[in-house]
């Protein structure tokens, strides 16, 4: 968010928590992108503040967190002191989560696989309507195929992204019996080391698909520790993930920090992942 919008978002997060009786003296910006994450002290709440255009996503994330609250899922859940819902303040959608202080502890590949395995086991006990991964692929394809939305994407890269998204999306999204609820984007930025152990955050990306789709977001070494993983499928999912990542970065409206770097890096990593997949 730009400074003026960020200032309003901070005020919205502070006022929401204070209005619910949670003491707020200090506010620290933990993350600033299209939505912001704020640490509120001394109540130790993580407030996620998003524009109203993301109201539905915020509500879905809270519902995922609420459903997982009664499981052993390794996630940072909604703050139990307040009702798990979206609070509207100013022009923002605000959700309140338990804040977990990060610690300087390495997360090994075996730890990563263990977290994903426990999270997948918990999700198998959750009854929740969630989009299929192919819905996300379709959304990425719309960005790639709309030249007004992605005007700076070269025609060669547009053609490559279109073919990769359509081809791998169809090949992976077959609706096999092994599909289940997933985190959706359990990349290293969404797994934090805490005193409770590694915890997953950002639950709004929950979707249905094979567990290999989640594994493809983790460091490659983690896959060796995940029992029963299909390595070929993970490779294809990794290429698909980088294709979707690249599609988002080429949007005119994308607001990811250092976007120009990631536009180039995303395409490069997608090509490298495709090379590992071998012939179709």
């Amino acid at each position: 968010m730009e400074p003026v919008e960020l200032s309003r978002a901070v005020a919205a997060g502070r006022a929401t928590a204070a209005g619910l009786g949670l003491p707020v003296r200090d506010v620290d910006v933990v993350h600033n992108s299209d939505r912001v994450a704020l640490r509120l002290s001394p109540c130790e709440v993580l407030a996620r503040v998003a524009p109203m255009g993301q109201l539905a996503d915020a509500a879905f994330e809270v519902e995922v967190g609420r459903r997982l609250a009664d499981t052993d899922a390794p996630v940072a859940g909604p703050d139990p002191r307040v009702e798990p819902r979206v609070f509207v303040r100013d022009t923002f959608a605000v959700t309140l989560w338990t804040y977990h202080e990060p610690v300087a502890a390495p997360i090994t590949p075996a730890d990563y696989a263990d977290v994903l395995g426990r999270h997948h086991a918990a999700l198998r006990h959750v009854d929740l309507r969630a989009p299929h991964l192919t819905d996300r692929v379709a959304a990425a394809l719309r960005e790639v195929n709309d030249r007004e939305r992605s005007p700076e994407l070269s025609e060669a890269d547009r053609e490559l992204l279109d073919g990769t998204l359509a081809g791998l999306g169809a090949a992976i999204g077959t609706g096999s019996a092994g599909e289940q609820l997933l985190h959706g984007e359990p990349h290293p930025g969404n797994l934090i080391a805490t005193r409770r152990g590694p915890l997953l955050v950002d639950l709004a990306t929950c979707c249905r698909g094979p567990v290999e789709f989640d594994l493809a977001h983790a460091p490659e070494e983690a896959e060796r520790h995940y029992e029963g993983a299909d390595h070929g499928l993970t490779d294809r999912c990794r290429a698909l993930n980088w294709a979707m990542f690249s599609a988002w970065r080429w949007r005119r409206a994308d607001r990811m920090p250092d976007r120009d770097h990631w536009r180039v890096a995303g395409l490069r990593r997608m090509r490298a992942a495709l090379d590992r997949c071998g012939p179709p």
Side-chain angles (χ1 to χ4, degrees), residues 215 219-226 229-232 234-235 238:
L215 280 170
E220 294 185 22
E221 297 83 1
E223 184 188 3
R224 300 200 308 269
H225 299 276
Y226 193 103
D230 180 331
H231 303 302
T234 304
D235 286 342
R238 188 171 292 112

Side-chain angles (χ1 to χ4, degrees), residues 20-173:
L20 293 166
L22 299 172
V24 181
R25 183 178 61 248
D26 300 314
V27 180
D28 296 314
V29 178
V30 176
H31 179 73
N32 179 18
S33 185
D34 55 343
R35 65 175 179 172
V36 296
L38 310 171
R39 178 187 181 180
L40 309 180
S41 302
C43 61
E44 296 306 309
V45 165
L46 185 79
R48 294 185 184 275
V49 185
M52 284 299 293
Q54 298 183 34
L55 177 62
D57 291 341
F60 178 70
E61 182 176 28
V62 170
E63 183 62 15
V64 176
R66 187 183 72 80
R67 298 293 185 95
L68 288 171
D70 295 328
T71 73
D72 292 327
V75 299
D79 190 294
R81 292 170 290 181
V82 300
E83 182 183 357
R85 67 177 182 87
V86 180
F87 301 91
V88 175
R89 174 76 63 162
D90 191 358
T91 58
F92 298 100
V94 182
T95 55
L96 302 178
W97 305 78
T98 299
Y99 178 79
H100 296 273
E101 180 76 31
V103 298
I107 299 176
T108 67
D111 292 335
Y112 218 119
D114 177 68
V115 167
L116 288 180
R118 289 189 290 121
H119 189 54
H120 292 155
L123 286 169
R124 285 194 285 272
H125 297 284
V126 171
D127 182 17
L128 177 72
R129 293 187 63 181
H132 193 271
L133 69 88
T134 51
D135 295 320
R136 293 171 58 182
V137 174
L141 271 169
R142 287 193 292 272
E143 301 294 334
V144 169
N145 292 325
D146 188 333
R147 287 171 174 77
E148 292 188 1
R149 293 190 179 198
S150 52
E152 297 172 281
L153 183 61
S154 73
E155 289 308 305
D157 289 336
R158 192 183 304 277
E159 183 178 352
L160 177 60
L161 279 172
D162 176 83
T164 301
L165 289 166
L168 287 179
I172 295 168

Side-chain angles (χ1 to χ4, degrees), residues 166-215:
L168 287 179
I172 295 168
T174 57
S176 66
E179 292 187 349
Q180 67 155 83
L181 282 175
L182 307 171
H183 179 280
E185 288 188 8
H187 54 69
N190 281 338
L191 183 63
I192 57 174
T194 75
R195 286 189 292 270
R196 278 188 53 199
L199 296 177
L200 288 161
V201 298
D202 198 355
L203 306 178
T205 54
C206 180
C207 63
R208 289 191 176 275
V211 296
E212 286 81 3
F213 186 73
D214 269 359
L215 280 170

